[in-house]
Amino acid sequence: MTSVRKGQAPAPLERAAFHERFMGAFRDPAFKRESDALSRIALIAWEAYQEGRKAPLTQAAGPGYADPSYELSVEWLQTKARIDQAQAAWKDPATPSRVLLVNGSPRNDGSCPGEISKTYRLLQLAREQIEAAQIHADVLDLSLLTSGYNLHIHPCKGCVSTAMPLCHWPCSCYPNHALGQTGDWMAEIYERWVAAHGVIVFTPSHWYQATSALKLMVDRLVCADGGNPDPTSTHGKRPAEAKALEEKGWPYPKHLAGRVYGVVVHGDVGGVESLRRNLCDWLDWMGLIDAGDQARLDRYIGYYRPYASSHEELDRDEGVQEEVRNVARAVAHAVALLRAGRLPEPGDGLSAPRPK
């Protein structure tokens, strides 16, 4: 059997270093009057860290799992139940159609920039068209990561590169209470992706790449492409068991396949075409269906003009505004065809000789 390589993990923090890091969240002088209480809480957190209490609340997985007696995180089970419910609603032709509109810009007027983003404005143009088509528009505004309280998308830990079955669907890496890795927004975001019949991603180009907020979400969606819906089959995070499962033959299930998508990428100097291509390639890989040429857009707004006047540049660019509306119209039309069973999917029924 393939071996499990070890030797990279750092040594655990010493008590003093842990205490200093824990108390870093309470620098506000107002907390001083509760210093004794905080010291007691810090001790509880230290014990959880030492004992590795990642999931302090667990229950037996129950029927339908490879090992029904294995204790799973209650939080994970709750997320899985919501995802299963969303998937059932997605399949039901009687439910209203839904399009998820993802704002990938981290800028909004509730954080340091003090001004809304052009990305958000473009999203609103699309939202009007989606709603005009009698489709529910679900706005996922990733700028809340910069302006919402204790809201996080924690980074992907790369479990899939150890073995695909170690990457659970939905992700079971978080929350990790022992390490203080809580407040993970992805538990809700997974459900919203599953519920959507269509998805439109809106983003600016940051240094020729996706924004950090968008990339965090993209990486954490890796479990939707081949992820293991049964953590009991690997008894949590046991790499040797996961490797053995994959070597026996893994089906790499595509949990979001069949939804339609559109992409809007904008910038002011460079990088829009490559980023649009990267995002479309990613969505194609996950089994989503593009809504046609009109649904894949990359444009410059205020090319090499000052940042300060970029909103005015968008005001004047009526062409790009109409192109964004067309992205939404194309996705709305594709969703209608999808739900009527009339959306052709090229390659449907073909089996991939090298799935991964």
Side-chain angles (χ1 to χ4, degrees), residues 2-77:
T2 304
S3 62
V4 177
R5 312 298 176 93
K6 300 286 188 177
Q8 183 181 352
L13 292 174
E14 297 292 337
R15 176 72 175 90
F18 176 89
H19 184 82
E20 182 178 0
R21 189 172 296 182
F22 178 85
M23 296 301 291
F26 306 102
R27 300 285 186 185
D28 188 329
F31 285 110
K32 285 187 176 179
R33 62 177 176 264
E34 298 295 340
S35 58
D36 290 343
L38 285 173
S39 293
R40 292 192 295 272
I41 292 171
L43 179 59
I44 296 172
W46 166 249
E47 292 169 349
Y49 173 73
Q50 277 193 310
E51 297 170 11
R53 297 203 298 263
K54 174 185 176 180
L57 297 176
T58 63
Q59 68 181 52
Y65 288 91
D67 184 350
S69 65
Y70 184 77
E71 295 282 321
L72 289 177
S73 163
V74 168
E75 291 164 292
W76 185 89
L77 286 167

Side-chain angles (χ1 to χ4, degrees), residues 254-283:
K254 293 185 177 292
H255 299 288
L256 293 177
R259 289 144 181 88
V260 300
Y261 78 83
V263 169
V264 175
V265 178
H266 68 94
D268 53 35
V269 174
V272 296
E273 184 177 348
S274 58
L275 177 54
R276 184 264 306 158
R277 188 183 302 115
N278 290 342
L279 289 172
C280 290
D281 285 351
W282 162 62
L283 291 161

Side-chain angles (χ1 to χ4, degrees), residues 31-355:
F31 285 110
K32 285 187 176 179
R33 62 177 176 264
E34 298 295 340
S35 58
D36 290 343
L38 285 173
S39 293
R40 292 192 295 272
I41 292 171
L43 179 59
I44 296 172
W46 166 249
E47 292 169 349
Y49 173 73
Q50 277 193 310
E51 297 170 11
R53 297 203 298 263
K54 174 185 176 180
L57 297 176
T58 63
Q59 68 181 52
Y65 288 91
D67 184 350
S69 65
Y70 184 77
E71 295 282 321
L72 289 177
S73 163
V74 168
E75 291 164 292
W76 185 89
L77 286 167
Q78 290 170 345
T79 301
K80 181 66 163 57
R82 291 195 301 270
I83 285 176
D84 289 345
Q85 185 177 13
Q87 181 68 19
W90 180 81
K91 287 182 177 179
D92 185 352
T95 60
S97 296
R98 299 172 63 90
V99 170
L100 182 66
L101 304 174
V102 180
N103 172 37
S105 173
R107 178 162 71 115
N108 69 36
D109 52 325
S111 59
C112 304
E115 185 177 44
I116 65 173
S117 67
K118 294 183 293 298
T119 312
Y120 185 75
R121 289 182 58 192
L122 296 175
L123 183 150
Q124 295 306 318
L125 296 175
R127 181 181 189 172
E128 292 171 1
Q129 299 305 311
I130 295 298
E131 291 177 343
Q134 304 300 306
I135 295 175
H136 176 75
D138 180 14
V139 176
L140 174 57
D141 186 356
L142 296 180
S143 74
L144 295 181
L145 289 173
T146 68
S147 61
Y149 178 74
N150 201 29
L151 191 63
H152 310 281
I153 296 179
H154 295 293
C156 175
K157 296 179 179 179
C159 296
V160 61
S161 291
T162 291
M164 190 75 244
L166 199 64
C167 183
H168 299 146
W169 168 250
C171 177
S172 67
C173 293
Y174 305 101
N176 186 324
H177 292 272
L179 296 179
Q181 296 168 342
T182 58
D184 186 51
W185 198 9
M186 285 304 297
E188 174 190 329
I189 290 174
Y190 290 132
E191 179 186 357
R192 293 167 72 173
W193 271 80
V194 170
H197 299 95
V199 178
I200 308 178
V201 177
F202 302 79
T203 186
S205 170
H206 282 191
W207 288 117
Y208 293 83
Q209 305 290 335
T211 66
S212 53
L214 179 59
K215 189 59 166 62
L216 283 167
M217 182 192 71
V218 166
D219 285 354
R220 291 288 303 285
L221 281 165
V222 65
C223 56
D225 189 71
N228 180 2
D230 185 356
T232 73
S233 66
T234 56
H235 292 96
K237 295 289 187 175
R238 294 185 183 178
E241 293 187 22
K243 285 176 180 287
L245 271 179
E246 188 172 26
E247 288 174 342
K248 286 179 182 177
W250 187 252
Y252 303 97
K254 293 185 177 292
H255 299 288
L256 293 177
R259 289 144 181 88
V260 300
Y261 78 83
V263 169
V264 175
V265 178
H266 68 94
D268 53 35
V269 174
V272 296
E273 184 177 348
S274 58
L275 177 54
R276 184 264 306 158
R277 188 183 302 115
N278 290 342
L279 289 172
C280 290
D281 285 351
W282 162 62
L283 291 161
D284 289 339
W285 188 283
M286 290 209 301
L288 277 76
I289 308 165
D290 77 78
D293 290 345
Q294 295 292 311
R296 303 189 301 270
L297 180 68
D298 58 78
R299 288 292 181 266
Y300 291 108
I301 299 172
Y303 186 64
Y304 270 100
R305 301 292 295 168
Y307 296 113
S309 57
S310 62
H311 275 288
E312 285 70 24
E313 296 287 350
L314 175 54
D315 290 340
R316 288 189 284 269
D317 197 336
E318 296 181 2
V320 78
Q321 293 176 36
E322 190 62 16
E323 287 174 316
V324 170
R325 294 187 184 99
N326 278 343
V327 171
R329 291 167 183 146
V331 169
H333 181 60
V335 165
L337 291 175
L338 173 73
R339 304 219 68 196
R342 295 189 291 113
L343 182 66
E345 185 176 347
D348 187 32
L350 299 179
S351 58
R354 293 190 291 183

